Amino acid sequence: MELQSIRSHFPILHQEVNGAPLIYFDNAATTQKPIEVIEALDKYYRTDNANIHRAAHSLASRSTEYFEQTRKTLADFIGAPEAETCIFTKGVTESINLVAQAWGRKFIQAGDEILVSTMEHHSNIVPWQLLCEEKSATLKVIPMSDSGELDMDAFYQLLGPKTKLVACVWVSNALGTINPVKEIIEAAHKQGALVLLDGAQALSHFEVNVQEMDCDFLTISSHKLYGPTGVGALYGKRHLLEAMNPYQAGGEMIKEVRFEKTTFNEIPYKFEAGTPNIGDVIAFKAALDFVTKTGKSLIADHEDRLLSHLLEGLKKEEFHKVKLIGTASKKVSVQSFLIEGKHHFDIGMMLDARGVAVRTGHHCTQPLMHRLGIDGTVRVSFAMYNTIEEIDQFLHVLKRICAR
Ligand code: PLP
C-alpha cells in the first residue's frame, strides 16, 4: 500500500480539533483504527454475532471460524510455530498478569530472583512485585544510562543462578528505546532463566519473529497495533504453557467438570475462561492484515524519516529550551521532551489548543521518571499515517510555545 493513501483509511484523522486539523501524535498510547477494522466490527455484529466454540448453528460456527482465523493470522504475524501458542487476553496488562499468576505462582519459590528493567511500564513491574511478595522472591532492576539505554554490564552482573525470569520491555513507551532483547534472551537462557518480552510498543514498528528471537513469552496489545481496545494476546512456548496452571477458571477452560475433580482443556483454551471479546478479536485480524498489507519495512522506514525530521527540526536555535528525554541510538518514532520553565501538562494543553494531540505525564513509568529526576514528559509518538507536514506544523506551534 502507498503511504500517501494510508490516511484515507483512517476516518478519525479527517477532523478539526479546536479549530485546527487534528494532528494525532499520541500513538504510543493507542493507535487509530483503519476503516477495515471498523467495518469488520460492524459486520460481525450485523451478520455473525454468536457465542463461539459451543453451539452447532451456522452463526456460531461462523463466528468461531473468524475468531480462530485471528489466532492463525496473529501466529503468522509474530512467527509463532502454532496458533495454539497464542492466547487471547484483554491486552498486555492481562497477558503479564497471566504469566505472573499461572507460571509464577507455580514455579517461583522463596529466594528466586526476577529481573526487570528501569524503563518498564507499571504493568511489567507490579504483577512481579505482588508475586515476589507472595513467594518471598526478589525483584531486581537492570539500571540504564541517562540517554535511556540499558546498562548491559550491570545486567550481566545481576543475572545469576537465582534468576528465574527476565521480564523486559522490548521498546520503551516513554523513551522509544529499542532494547537489546536478543542479547538478553541468549544470556538469560544460558543461566536457565526464562524471558518475557513486553511487546506492546514493538509490534507496530518492526518485524517480530518469536522463533528467531527465542523469547519464552511475548505480550501483545491490539490497540497499539491499529486494532480494537480490549484485545491482546500472550504468546508462550508450548511446553511452558502446558506446564502452567490455569489462570482464570470457568467455562471453556475445562475438559470435564465433576464435583470431585475437574480436568482442564488444551492450550490455548485452558487460559481463555468465559466468553471472550469475540467481536474485537475478529476485528483485530483486519488490523493485522492491514499492517501486513502496508508492509512493516515501509512503515519502519517512514517512521524513521519522521523521527529524523523532528530531531533535525528541534536542533534549531528557537528550540534551545527544549530538552530531549530518551536519546538512545536505537529508537522507534517516540520522542519525549521537556521545555525549560514550562510544565509538561501546560505544554500538552497548549498543543491541544492548536489541534495537536500528545501525551503528558509519567506514561505509567514512574520508576523511570524517578530515575531521570523528573515527574513527567511531553511525548510525541508517530504512526504510519503521520506526515512530514504534520511535524512541520507541530514545530511551528512548539516554536510559539517556546517563545512565550
Ligand atoms: N507495556 C507498555 C510498554 C505499554 O506502552 C503499555 C500501554 O501503554 C502496556 C504495557 C499496557 O498495555 P495494554 O494497554 O495492552 O494493557
Side-chain angles (χ1 to χ4, degrees):
M1 198 183 306
E2 288 289 308
L3 278 167
Q4 289 90 317
S5 76
I6 280 177
R7 287 180 74 80
S8 65
H9 291 253
F10 292 85
I12 202 169
L13 298 177
H14 308 282
Q15 63 173 297
E16 293 204 339
V17 169
N18 297 323
L22 168 65
I23 295 180
Y24 187 78
F25 283 173
D26 193 18
N27 295 288
T30 198
T31 49
Q32 298 301 349
K33 321 304 172 199
I35 189 72
E36 287 81 350
V37 169
I38 299 166
E39 283 174 353
L41 198 55
D42 182 78
K43 175 187 171 292
Y44 170 72
Y45 283 115
R46 281 180 196 276
T47 61
D48 306 319
N49 177 47
N51 210 334
I52 53 169
H53 293 144
R54 287 181 281 267
H57 62 84
S58 299
L59 262 57
S61 59
R62 220 156 55 211
S63 54
T64 303
E65 187 189 325
Y66 295 150
F67 185 87
E68 292 303 329
Q69 271 176 14
T70 302
R71 201 188 304 277
K72 177 82 185 69
T73 304
L74 177 63
D76 291 344
F77 193 86
I78 61 168
E82 334 161 67
E84 293 77 20
T85 55
C86 296
I87 292 148
F88 288 118
T89 63
K90 278 194 297 186
V92 163
T93 303
E94 191 179 34
S95 299
I96 296 172
N97 276 279
L98 193 165
V99 178
Q101 294 295 313
W103 176 82
R105 293 181 86 186
K106 185 166 178 186
F107 293 107
I108 290 291
Q109 291 170 357
D112 286 347
E113 293 177 357
I114 294 174
L115 291 188
V116 295
S117 82
T118 307
M119 61 182 90
E120 297 309 318
H121 188 275
H122 296 162
S123 60
N124 203 23
I125 301 173
V126 188
W128 307 119
Q129 283 177 325
L130 290 173
L131 179 70
C132 286
E133 221 168 274
E134 185 184 320
K135 296 288 181 176
S136 302
T138 308
L139 190 69
K140 295 204 161 175
V141 184
I142 310 163
M144 62 165 221
S145 67
D146 291 343
S147 64
E149 284 169 328
L150 291 185
D151 179 341
M152 292 302 283
D153 290 339
F155 164 68
Y156 284 108
Q157 281 179 4
L158 287 168
L159 189 67
K162 289 184 182 167
T163 313
K164 290 292 170 304
L165 177 77
V166 183
C168 184
V169 70
W170 195 331
V171 171
S172 158
N173 63 312
L175 306 175
T177 309
I178 304 174
N179 285 318
V181 292
K182 181 88 185 147
E183 185 182 341
I184 288 173
I185 291 165
E186 280 170 11
H189 284 173
K190 276 191 194 140
Q191 279 292 345
L194 301 182
V195 178
L196 175 143
L197 293 182
D198 172 352
Q201 300 290 341
L203 274 77
S204 62
H205 295 293
F206 49 77
E207 205 71 59
V208 164
N209 186 304
V210 290
Q211 289 185 87
E212 270 171 29
M213 204 42 82
D214 199 26
C215 56
D216 300 289
F217 299 106
L218 174 73
T219 61
I220 297 148
S221 178
S222 148
H223 76 97
K224 314 269 190 203
L225 194 47
Y226 307 98
T229 51
V231 176
L234 170 71
Y235 158 79
K237 286 182 178 165
R238 175 179 273 277
H239 72 279
L240 296 172
L241 295 174
E242 284 179 343
M244 281 156 60
N245 280 337
Y247 170 51
Q248 291 179 336
E252 201 66 43
M253 52 75 72
I254 52 88
K255 190 175 275 166
E256 207 170 57
V257 179
R258 294 287 177 272
F259 284 117
E260 300 71 35
K261 183 167 173 60
T262 290
T263 50
F264 304 120
N265 209 336
E266 308 293 322
I267 63 162
Y269 310 112
K270 180 169 100 176
F271 298 109
E272 292 179 356
T275 302
N277 187 351
I278 305 166
D280 290 303
V281 166
I282 289 173
F284 182 28
K285 178 178 183 302
L288 295 168
D289 288 342
F290 186 82
V291 173
T292 302
K293 201 164 127 198
T294 307
K296 278 277 186 85
S297 62
L298 203 75
I299 296 172
D301 290 350
H302 175 65
E303 290 177 350
D304 283 350
R305 260 196 310 279
L306 295 176
L307 183 65
S308 303
H309 190 74
L310 172 77
L311 296 177
E312 209 42 52
L314 287 173
K315 281 184 188 156
K316 292 193 183 137
E317 173 54 25
E318 58 243 37
F319 297 116
H320 70 276
K321 286 186 185 159
V322 173
K323 181 172 189 288
L324 299 180
I325 313 287
T327 52
S329 58
K330 287 197 175 149
K331 276 183 65 131
V332 300
S333 53
V334 169
Q335 188 60 58
S336 269
F337 65 92
L338 289 170
I339 301 177
E340 205 182 293
K342 293 196 164 49
H343 194 271
H344 48 83
F345 182 72
D346 295 334
I347 302 166
M349 296 294 282
M350 287 187 265
L351 285 165
D352 180 57
R354 299 299 177 112
V356 185
V358 299
R359 184 128 309 227
T360 64
H362 55 62
H363 315 296
C364 293
T365 56
Q366 280 181 356
L368 168 64
M369 296 296 131
H370 187 70
R371 156 68 180 84
L372 295 169
I374 54 182
D375 65 353
T377 72
V378 184
R379 179 189 70 190
V380 293
S381 49
F382 306 136
M384 60 163 100
Y385 40 66
N386 290 124
T387 64
I388 295 283
E389 292 71 32
E390 286 181 319
I391 293 175
D392 288 340
Q393 175 60 16
F394 163 77
L395 289 170
H396 176 71
V397 176
L398 199 69
K399 182 173 146 184
R400 293 166 72 155
I401 295 172
C402 285
R404 275 192 191 177

